[in-house]
Coordinates of all heavy atoms in Angstrom, one line a residue:
M1 N -77.8 10.3 49.5 CA -78.7 10.5 48.4 C -78.0 10.2 47.0 O -76.9 10.6 46.8 CB -79.3 11.9 48.4 CG -80.3 12.1 47.3 SD -81.2 13.7 47.6 CE -80.4 14.7 46.4
V2 N -78.7 9.4 46.2 CA -78.2 9.1 44.9 C -79.0 9.8 43.8 O -80.2 9.7 43.8 CB -78.2 7.5 44.6 CG1 -77.7 7.2 43.2 CG2 -77.4 6.8 45.7
T3 N -78.3 10.5 42.9 CA -79.0 11.1 41.8 C -78.4 10.5 40.5 O -77.2 10.2 40.4 CB -78.8 12.6 41.8 OG1 -77.4 12.9 41.8 CG2 -79.4 13.3 43.0
R4 N -79.2 10.4 39.6 CA -78.8 9.8 38.3 C -78.8 10.9 37.2 O -79.7 11.6 37.1 CB -79.8 8.7 37.9 CG -79.4 8.0 36.6 CD -80.4 7.0 36.2 NE -80.7 6.1 37.2 CZ -81.7 5.2 37.2 NH1 -82.6 5.2 36.2 NH2 -81.9 4.4 38.2
T5 N -77.7 11.0 36.5 CA -77.6 12.1 35.5 C -77.8 11.5 34.1 O -78.2 12.2 33.2 CB -76.2 12.7 35.6 OG1 -75.2 11.7 35.5 CG2 -76.0 13.5 36.9
E6 N -77.5 10.2 33.9 CA -77.7 9.7 32.6 C -79.1 9.0 32.5 O -79.7 8.6 33.4 CB -76.6 8.6 32.3 CG -76.7 7.3 33.0 CD -76.1 7.4 34.4 OE1 -75.3 8.4 34.7 OE2 -76.3 6.5 35.2
A7 N -79.5 8.9 31.2 CA -80.8 8.3 31.0 C -80.8 6.8 31.3 O -79.8 6.1 31.0 CB -81.3 8.5 29.5
P8 N -81.9 6.2 31.8 CA -81.8 4.8 32.1 C -81.8 3.9 30.9 O -81.4 2.8 30.9 CB -83.1 4.5 32.9 CG -84.0 5.7 32.6 CD -83.1 6.8 32.2
Y9 N -82.3 4.4 29.8 CA -82.2 3.7 28.5 C -82.2 4.7 27.3 O -82.6 5.9 27.5 CB -83.4 2.7 28.3 CG -84.8 3.4 28.5 CD1 -85.4 4.0 27.4 CD2 -85.4 3.3 29.7 CE1 -86.6 4.5 27.5 CE2 -86.7 3.9 29.8 CZ -87.3 4.5 28.7 OH -88.5 5.1 28.9
T10 N -81.6 4.2 26.2 CA -81.5 5.1 25.0 C -81.9 4.2 23.8 O -81.8 3.0 23.8 CB -80.1 5.6 24.8 OG1 -79.2 4.5 24.7 CG2 -79.6 6.5 25.9
F11 N -82.3 4.9 22.7 CA -82.7 4.3 21.5 C -81.6 4.8 20.5 O -81.3 6.0 20.4 CB -84.1 4.7 21.0 CG -85.1 4.4 22.0 CD1 -85.7 5.4 22.8 CD2 -85.6 3.1 22.2 CE1 -86.7 5.1 23.7 CE2 -86.5 2.8 23.1 CZ -87.1 3.8 23.9
E12 N -81.1 3.9 19.7 CA -80.1 4.2 18.7 C -80.3 3.5 17.4 O -80.8 2.4 17.3 CB -78.7 3.8 19.2 CG -78.3 4.4 20.5 CD -76.9 3.9 21.0 OE1 -76.2 3.3 20.2 OE2 -76.7 4.0 22.2
K13 N -80.0 4.2 16.3 CA -80.0 3.6 15.0 C -78.6 3.2 14.6 O -77.7 4.0 14.6 CB -80.6 4.6 13.9 CG -80.7 3.9 12.6 CD -81.5 4.8 11.6 CE -81.6 4.0 10.3 NZ -82.5 4.7 9.4
M14 N -78.4 1.9 14.5 CA -77.1 1.4 14.2 C -77.0 1.0 12.7 O -78.0 1.4 11.9 CB -76.9 0.1 15.0 CG -77.1 0.3 16.5 SD -76.1 1.5 17.3 CE -74.6 0.5 17.5
D15 N -76.0 0.4 12.2 CA -75.8 0.0 10.8 C -76.7 -1.2 10.5 O -76.4 -2.3 10.8 CB -74.4 -0.3 10.6 CG -74.1 -0.5 9.1 OD1 -74.8 0.1 8.3 OD2 -73.2 -1.2 8.7
G16 N -77.9 -0.9 10.0 CA -78.8 -2.0 9.5 C -79.8 -2.4 10.6 O -80.6 -3.3 10.3
Y17 N -79.8 -1.9 11.8 CA -80.8 -2.2 12.8 C -80.9 -1.1 13.8 O -80.1 -0.2 13.8 CB -80.4 -3.5 13.5 CG -79.1 -3.5 14.2 CD1 -79.1 -3.2 15.6 CD2 -77.9 -3.8 13.6 CE1 -77.9 -3.1 16.3 CE2 -76.7 -3.7 14.3 CZ -76.7 -3.4 15.7 OH -75.5 -3.4 16.4
Y18 N -81.9 -1.2 14.6 CA -82.0 -0.3 15.8 C -81.6 -1.0 17.0 O -81.7 -2.2 17.1 CB -83.5 0.2 15.9 CG -83.9 1.1 14.8 CD1 -84.4 0.7 13.6 CD2 -83.9 2.5 15.0 CE1 -84.8 1.6 12.6 CE2 -84.3 3.4 14.0 CZ -84.8 2.9 12.8 OH -85.2 3.8 11.9
A19 N -81.3 -0.2 18.0 CA -80.9 -0.8 19.3 C -81.5 -0.1 20.5 O -81.6 1.2 20.4 CB -79.4 -0.9 19.4
V20 N -81.9 -0.8 21.5 CA -82.3 -0.2 22.8 C -81.2 -0.6 23.8 O -80.8 -1.7 23.9 CB -83.6 -0.8 23.3 CG1 -84.1 -0.1 24.6 CG2 -84.7 -0.6 22.2
R21 N -80.7 0.4 24.5 CA -79.6 0.2 25.4 C -80.1 0.6 26.8 O -80.6 1.7 27.0 CB -78.4 1.0 25.1 CG -77.6 0.6 23.9 CD -76.3 1.4 23.7 NE -75.8 1.2 22.4 CZ -75.0 0.2 22.1 NH1 -74.6 -0.7 23.0 NH2 -74.5 0.1 20.9
L22 N -80.0 -0.4 27.8 CA -80.5 -0.2 29.1 C -79.4 -0.4 30.1 O -78.6 -1.3 30.0 CB -81.6 -1.2 29.5 CG -82.9 -1.2 28.7 CD1 -82.8 -2.2 27.6 CD2 -84.0 -1.5 29.6
R23 N -79.4 0.5 31.1 CA -78.4 0.3 32.2 C -79.0 -0.7 33.2 O -80.1 -0.4 33.7 CB -78.2 1.6 32.9 CG -77.4 2.6 32.1 CD -76.9 3.8 32.9 NE -76.1 4.6 32.1 CZ -74.8 4.3 31.9 NH1 -74.2 3.3 32.4 NH2 -74.1 5.1 31.1
L24 N -78.3 -1.8 33.4 CA -78.8 -2.8 34.4 C -77.6 -3.0 35.4 O -76.9 -4.1 35.3 CB -79.2 -4.0 33.7 CG -80.4 -3.9 32.8 CD1 -80.7 -5.3 32.1 CD2 -81.6 -3.5 33.5
P25 N -77.3 -2.1 36.3 CA -76.1 -2.2 37.1 C -76.1 -3.4 38.1 O -75.1 -3.8 38.5 CB -76.1 -0.9 37.9 CG -77.5 -0.4 37.9 CD -78.1 -0.9 36.6
F26 N -77.3 -4.0 38.4 CA -77.3 -5.1 39.3 C -77.7 -6.4 38.7 O -78.0 -7.4 39.4 CB -78.3 -4.7 40.5 CG -77.9 -3.4 41.2 CD1 -78.7 -2.3 41.0 CD2 -76.8 -3.3 41.9 CE1 -78.4 -1.1 41.6 CE2 -76.5 -2.1 42.5 CZ -77.3 -1.0 42.4
A27 N -77.7 -6.5 37.4 CA -78.2 -7.7 36.7 C -77.0 -8.6 36.4 O -75.9 -8.1 36.1 CB -79.0 -7.3 35.5
A28 N -77.3 -9.9 36.4 CA -76.4 -10.9 35.9 C -76.9 -11.5 34.7 O -78.1 -11.5 34.4 CB -76.2 -12.0 37.0
K29 N -76.1 -12.1 33.8 CA -76.5 -12.5 32.5 C -77.6 -13.5 32.6 O -78.6 -13.5 31.8 CB -75.3 -13.2 31.8 CG -74.4 -12.1 31.1 CD -73.4 -12.8 30.2 CE -72.6 -11.7 29.6 NZ -71.6 -12.1 28.7
G30 N -77.6 -14.5 33.5 CA -78.6 -15.5 33.5 C -80.0 -15.1 34.0 O -81.0 -15.8 33.9
E31 N -80.1 -13.9 34.6 CA -81.4 -13.5 35.2 C -82.2 -12.5 34.4 O -83.2 -11.9 34.8 CB -81.2 -13.0 36.6 CG -80.3 -11.8 36.7 CD -80.0 -11.4 38.1 OE1 -80.2 -12.2 39.0 OE2 -79.6 -10.2 38.3
V32 N -81.7 -12.2 33.1 CA -82.4 -11.2 32.3 C -83.2 -11.9 31.3 O -82.8 -12.8 30.6 CB -81.4 -10.2 31.6 CG1 -82.1 -9.2 30.7 CG2 -80.5 -9.5 32.7
G33 N -84.5 -11.4 31.2 CA -85.4 -11.9 30.1 C -86.1 -10.8 29.5 O -86.2 -9.7 30.1
L34 N -86.5 -10.9 28.2 CA -87.2 -9.9 27.6 C -88.1 -10.4 26.5 O -88.0 -11.5 26.0 CB -86.3 -8.8 27.0 CG -85.3 -9.3 25.9 CD1 -85.9 -9.0 24.5 CD2 -84.0 -8.5 26.0
F35 N -89.2 -9.6 26.2 CA -90.1 -9.9 25.2 C -90.8 -8.6 24.7 O -90.7 -7.6 25.4 CB -91.1 -11.0 25.6 CG -92.0 -10.6 26.8 CD1 -93.2 -10.0 26.6 CD2 -91.6 -10.8 28.1 CE1 -94.1 -9.7 27.6 CE2 -92.4 -10.5 29.1 CZ -93.6 -9.9 28.9
K36 N -91.5 -8.7 23.6 CA -92.2 -7.5 23.1 C -93.6 -7.7 23.3 O -94.2 -8.8 23.0 CB -91.8 -7.3 21.6 CG -92.4 -6.0 21.1 CD -91.7 -5.7 19.8 CE -92.2 -4.4 19.2 NZ -93.3 -4.6 18.2
K37 N -94.3 -6.7 23.7 CA -95.8 -6.8 23.9 C -96.3 -5.5 23.3 O -96.1 -4.4 23.9 CB -96.1 -6.9 25.4 CG -97.6 -7.0 25.7 CD -97.8 -7.2 27.2 CE -99.2 -7.3 27.5 NZ -99.5 -7.4 28.9
G38 N -97.0 -5.6 22.2 CA -97.5 -4.4 21.5 C -96.4 -3.6 21.1 O -95.5 -4.0 20.4
D39 N -96.4 -2.3 21.5 CA -95.4 -1.3 21.1 C -94.4 -1.1 22.3 O -93.8 -0.1 22.4 CB -95.9 0.0 20.6 CG -96.8 0.7 21.6 OD1 -97.1 0.1 22.7 OD2 -97.2 1.8 21.3
E40 N -94.3 -2.1 23.2 CA -93.5 -2.0 24.4 C -92.5 -3.1 24.4 O -92.8 -4.3 24.0 CB -94.3 -2.1 25.7 CG -95.2 -0.9 25.9 CD -95.9 -1.0 27.3 OE1 -96.2 -2.2 27.7 OE2 -96.1 0.0 27.9
L41 N -91.3 -2.8 24.9 CA -90.3 -3.9 25.1 C -90.3 -4.1 26.6 O -90.3 -3.2 27.4 CB -88.9 -3.4 24.7 CG -87.8 -4.4 24.9 CD1 -88.0 -5.5 23.9 CD2 -86.4 -3.7 24.6
V42 N -90.5 -5.4 27.0 CA -90.7 -5.7 28.4 C -89.4 -6.4 28.8 O -89.0 -7.5 28.2 CB -91.9 -6.6 28.7 CG1 -92.0 -6.9 30.2 CG2 -93.2 -6.0 28.1
V43 N -88.7 -5.9 29.8 CA -87.4 -6.5 30.3 C -87.7 -6.9 31.7 O -88.2 -6.2 32.6 CB -86.3 -5.4 30.3 CG1 -85.0 -6.0 30.8 CG2 -86.1 -4.9 28.9
E44 N -87.3 -8.2 32.0 CA -87.4 -8.8 33.3 C -86.0 -9.1 33.9 O -85.2 -9.7 33.2 CB -88.2 -10.1 33.3 CG -89.7 -9.8 32.8 CD -90.4 -11.2 32.6 OE1 -89.8 -12.1 32.2 OE2 -91.6 -11.2 32.9
V45 N -85.8 -8.7 35.1 CA -84.6 -9.0 35.9 C -85.0 -9.6 37.2 O -85.5 -8.9 38.0 CB -83.7 -7.8 36.1 CG1 -82.4 -8.2 36.9 CG2 -83.3 -7.1 34.8
G46 N -84.9 -11.0 37.3 CA -85.4 -11.6 38.5 C -86.9 -11.5 38.5 O -87.7 -11.8 37.6
T47 N -87.4 -10.9 39.6 CA -88.9 -10.7 39.8 C -89.3 -9.3 39.3 O -90.5 -8.9 39.4 CB -89.3 -10.9 41.2 OG1 -88.6 -10.0 42.1 CG2 -89.0 -12.3 41.7
L48 N -88.4 -8.4 38.9 CA -88.7 -7.1 38.5 C -89.0 -7.0 37.0 O -88.4 -7.7 36.2 CB -87.5 -6.1 38.8 CG -87.1 -6.0 40.3 CD1 -85.8 -5.2 40.4 CD2 -88.2 -5.4 41.1
R49 N -90.0 -6.2 36.7 CA -90.4 -6.1 35.3 C -90.5 -4.6 34.9 O -91.0 -3.8 35.6 CB -91.7 -6.8 35.1 CG -92.2 -6.8 33.6 CD -93.5 -7.5 33.4 NE -93.3 -8.9 33.5 CZ -94.2 -9.8 33.3 NH1 -95.5 -9.4 33.1 NH2 -93.9 -11.1 33.3
R50 N -89.9 -4.3 33.7 CA -89.9 -2.9 33.3 C -90.5 -2.8 31.9 O -90.0 -3.6 31.0 CB -88.5 -2.3 33.3 CG -88.3 -1.0 32.7 CD -88.2 0.0 33.9 NE -88.2 1.4 33.4 CZ -87.2 2.2 33.6 NH1 -86.1 1.8 34.3 NH2 -87.2 3.4 33.2
H51 N -91.5 -2.0 31.7 CA -92.1 -1.8 30.3 C -91.5 -0.5 29.7 O -91.6 0.5 30.3 CB -93.6 -1.6 30.4 CG -94.3 -2.9 30.9 ND1 -95.0 -3.6 30.0 CD2 -94.4 -3.5 32.1 CE1 -95.5 -4.7 30.7 NE2 -95.1 -4.6 31.9
I52 N -90.9 -0.6 28.5 CA -90.3 0.5 27.9 C -91.1 0.8 26.6 O -91.1 -0.1 25.7 CB -88.8 0.2 27.5 CG1 -88.1 0.0 28.8 CG2 -88.2 1.4 26.7 CD1 -86.7 -0.6 28.6
G53 N -91.7 1.9 26.5 CA -92.5 2.3 25.3 C -91.5 2.6 24.2 O -90.6 3.4 24.3
L54 N -91.7 1.9 23.1 CA -90.8 2.1 21.9 C -91.3 3.3 21.1 O -92.5 3.5 20.9 CB -90.8 0.8 21.1 CG -90.2 -0.4 21.7 CD1 -90.5 -1.6 20.9 CD2 -88.8 -0.2 22.0
P55 N -90.3 4.0 20.5 CA -90.7 5.1 19.5 C -91.4 4.5 18.3 O -91.2 3.3 18.0 CB -89.4 5.8 19.2 CG -88.3 4.9 19.7 CD -88.9 3.9 20.6
T56 N -92.2 5.3 17.6 CA -93.0 4.9 16.5 C -92.1 4.2 15.4 O -92.5 3.2 14.9 CB -93.7 6.1 15.8 OG1 -94.4 6.8 16.8 CG2 -94.6 5.6 14.7
S57 N -90.9 4.7 15.3 CA -90.0 4.1 14.3 C -89.5 2.7 14.6 O -89.1 1.9 13.8 CB -88.7 5.0 14.1 OG -88.1 5.1 15.3
M58 N -89.7 2.3 15.9 CA -89.2 1.0 16.3 C -90.4 0.0 16.7 O -90.2 -1.1 17.0 CB -88.3 1.1 17.5 CG -87.0 1.8 17.2 SD -85.9 2.1 18.6 CE -85.4 0.4 19.0
A59 N -91.6 0.6 16.8 CA -92.8 -0.2 17.3 C -93.1 -1.5 16.5 O -93.5 -2.4 17.1 CB -94.0 0.7 17.3
S60 N -92.7 -1.5 15.2 CA -93.0 -2.7 14.4 C -91.9 -3.7 14.4 O -92.0 -4.7 13.8 CB -93.4 -2.3 13.0 OG -92.2 -1.7 12.4
L61 N -90.8 -3.3 15.0 CA -89.6 -4.2 15.0 C -89.7 -5.3 16.1 O -90.4 -5.1 17.0 CB -88.3 -3.4 15.2 CG -88.1 -2.2 14.2 CD1 -86.8 -1.5 14.5 CD2 -88.1 -2.7 12.7
T62 N -88.9 -6.3 15.9 CA -88.8 -7.4 16.8 C -87.4 -7.6 17.4 O -86.5 -7.4 16.7 CB -89.2 -8.7 16.1 OG1 -90.5 -8.5 15.5 CG2 -89.3 -9.9 17.0
P63 N -87.3 -7.9 18.7 CA -86.0 -8.1 19.3 C -85.4 -9.3 18.6 O -86.0 -10.4 18.5 CB -86.3 -8.4 20.8 CG -87.7 -8.0 21.0 CD -88.4 -8.0 19.7
S64 N -84.1 -9.2 18.1 CA -83.5 -10.3 17.4 C -82.3 -10.8 18.2 O -81.9 -11.9 18.0 CB -83.0 -9.8 16.0 OG -82.1 -8.8 16.1
R65 N -81.7 -10.0 19.0 CA -80.5 -10.4 19.8 C -80.3 -9.4 21.0 O -80.6 -8.3 20.9 CB -79.3 -10.3 18.8 CG -78.0 -10.8 19.4 CD -76.9 -10.7 18.4 NE -75.7 -10.8 19.1 CZ -74.5 -10.2 18.7 NH1 -74.5 -9.6 17.5 NH2 -73.5 -10.3 19.4
A66 N -79.8 -10.0 22.1 CA -79.6 -9.2 23.2 C -78.3 -9.6 23.9 O -77.9 -10.8 23.9 CB -80.7 -9.3 24.2
R67 N -77.5 -8.6 24.4 CA -76.3 -9.0 25.1 C -76.1 -8.0 26.3 O -76.5 -6.9 26.2 CB -75.1 -9.0 24.2 CG -74.7 -7.6 23.6 CD -73.6 -7.8 22.6 NE -73.3 -6.5 21.9 CZ -74.0 -5.9 20.9 NH1 -75.0 -6.6 20.4 NH2 -73.7 -4.8 20.4
L68 N -75.5 -8.6 27.4 CA -75.3 -7.8 28.6 C -73.8 -7.7 28.7 O -73.1 -8.6 28.9 CB -75.9 -8.5 29.8 CG -75.7 -7.7 31.1 CD1 -76.5 -6.4 31.1 CD2 -76.3 -8.6 32.3
E69 N -73.3 -6.4 28.6 CA -71.8 -6.2 28.7 C -71.6 -4.9 29.5 O -72.3 -3.9 29.2 CB -71.2 -6.0 27.3 CG -71.2 -7.2 26.4 CD -70.7 -6.9 25.0 OE1 -70.8 -5.7 24.5 OE2 -70.3 -7.9 24.3
N70 N -70.7 -5.0 30.4 CA -70.4 -3.8 31.3 C -71.7 -3.2 31.9 O -71.8 -2.0 31.9 CB -69.6 -2.8 30.5 CG -68.3 -3.3 29.9 OD1 -67.7 -4.1 30.6 ND2 -68.0 -2.9 28.7
K71 N -72.6 -4.0 32.3 CA -73.8 -3.6 33.0 C -74.8 -2.8 32.1 O -75.7 -2.1 32.5 CB -73.5 -2.7 34.2 CG -72.6 -3.4 35.3 CD -73.3 -4.6 35.8 CE -72.4 -5.3 36.8 NZ -73.0 -6.6 37.3
I72 N -74.6 -3.0 30.8 CA -75.5 -2.4 29.8 C -76.1 -3.5 28.9 O -75.3 -4.2 28.3 CB -74.8 -1.3 28.9 CG1 -74.3 -0.2 29.8 CG2 -75.7 -0.8 27.8 CD1 -73.6 0.9 29.1
L73 N -77.4 -3.5 28.9 CA -78.1 -4.5 28.1 C -78.4 -3.8 26.7 O -79.0 -2.8 26.7 CB -79.4 -4.9 28.7 CG -80.3 -5.9 27.9 CD1 -79.6 -7.3 27.8 CD2 -81.6 -6.1 28.5
T74 N -77.9 -4.4 25.6 CA -78.2 -3.9 24.3 C -79.1 -4.9 23.6 O -78.8 -6.1 23.5 CB -76.8 -3.8 23.5 OG1 -76.0 -2.9 24.2 CG2 -77.1 -3.2 22.1
V75 N -80.2 -4.4 23.2 CA -81.2 -5.2 22.5 C -81.3 -4.8 21.0 O -81.7 -3.6 20.8 CB -82.6 -5.1 23.1 CG1 -83.6 -6.0 22.4 CG2 -82.5 -5.5 24.6
E76 N -80.9 -5.7 20.1 CA -81.0 -5.3 18.7 C -82.5 -5.6 18.2 O -83.0 -6.6 18.5 CB -80.1 -6.2 17.9 CG -78.6 -5.9 18.2 CD -77.7 -6.7 17.3 OE1 -78.1 -7.4 16.4 OE2 -76.5 -6.7 17.6
M77 N -83.0 -4.6 17.5 CA -84.4 -4.7 17.0 C -84.3 -4.7 15.5 O -83.7 -3.8 14.9 CB -85.2 -3.5 17.5 CG -85.2 -3.3 19.0 SD -86.2 -4.4 19.9 CE -87.8 -3.9 19.4
K78 N -85.0 -5.7 14.9 CA -85.0 -5.8 13.4 C -86.4 -6.0 12.9 O -87.2 -6.5 13.7 CB -84.0 -6.9 12.9 CG -82.6 -6.6 13.2 CD -81.7 -7.7 12.6 CE -80.3 -7.4 12.9 NZ -79.4 -8.4 12.3
E79 N -86.6 -5.8 11.6 CA -87.9 -6.1 11.0 C -87.9 -7.6 10.8 O -86.9 -8.3 10.5 CB -88.0 -5.5 9.6 CG -88.1 -4.0 9.7 CD -88.4 -3.3 8.3 OE1 -89.0 -4.0 7.5 OE2 -87.9 -2.2 8.2
T80 N -89.1 -8.2 11.0 CA -89.3 -9.6 10.8 C -89.6 -9.8 9.3 O -90.3 -9.0 8.7 CB -90.5 -10.2 11.6 OG1 -91.6 -9.3 11.3 CG2 -90.2 -10.2 13.0
V81 N -88.9 -10.8 8.7 CA -89.0 -11.0 7.3 C -90.1 -12.0 7.0 O -90.2 -13.0 7.6 CB -87.6 -11.5 6.7 CG1 -87.7 -11.7 5.2 CG2 -86.6 -10.5 7.1

C-alpha cells in the first residue's frame, strides 16, 4: 500500500509572479502539456488530464513559463499585459 503525505500540488507567491508546483513522478519533459481554461489550470501528461482549480488570487493570471525539474513541474503564472 502506498500513502502520500505531501500535497500533489502547491500554490506559491514568488518574487514578481505566482507559481503552481505539481509532483509528476512519472512524467518526462516532452510529454507534458498545459493550458488554462476558465479558472482552472489543465495539465496533460500523455493521455492523462488533470484539472487544477486556481485560487481567486491566481484565477486571472496566465501561464507564462513551465519547467520540469526533479519530477516537479513549476508553472509560472503572470498577469497578461
Side-chain angles (χ1 to χ4, degrees):
M1 183 166 104
V2 176
T3 58
R4 184 182 305 166
T5 56
E6 71 276 348
Y9 54 86
T10 58
F11 304 105
E12 299 176 20
K13 183 170 184 173
M14 309 299 278
D15 188 29
Y17 64 92
Y18 287 87
V20 181
R21 293 186 190 273
L22 296 96
R23 292 192 172 277
L24 297 178
F26 305 108
K29 280 190 179 182
E31 62 184 18
V32 178
L34 62 92
F35 61 94
K36 188 163 178 263
K37 182 177 182 184
D39 60 355
E40 293 182 325
L41 184 66
V42 183
V43 179
E44 297 174 324
V45 180
T47 58
L48 300 174
R49 182 179 284 182
R50 175 103 186 239
H51 292 253
I52 299 168
L54 296 171
T56 307
S57 59
M58 295 175 70
S60 65
L61 304 179
T62 304
S64 62
R65 185 175 160 210
R67 64 186 178 278
L68 182 63
E69 295 174 336
N70 301 323
K71 304 297 182 185
I72 296 177
L73 178 69
T74 301
V75 182
E76 293 181 12
M77 305 286 290
K78 294 186 178 180
E79 290 186 33
T80 52
V81 180

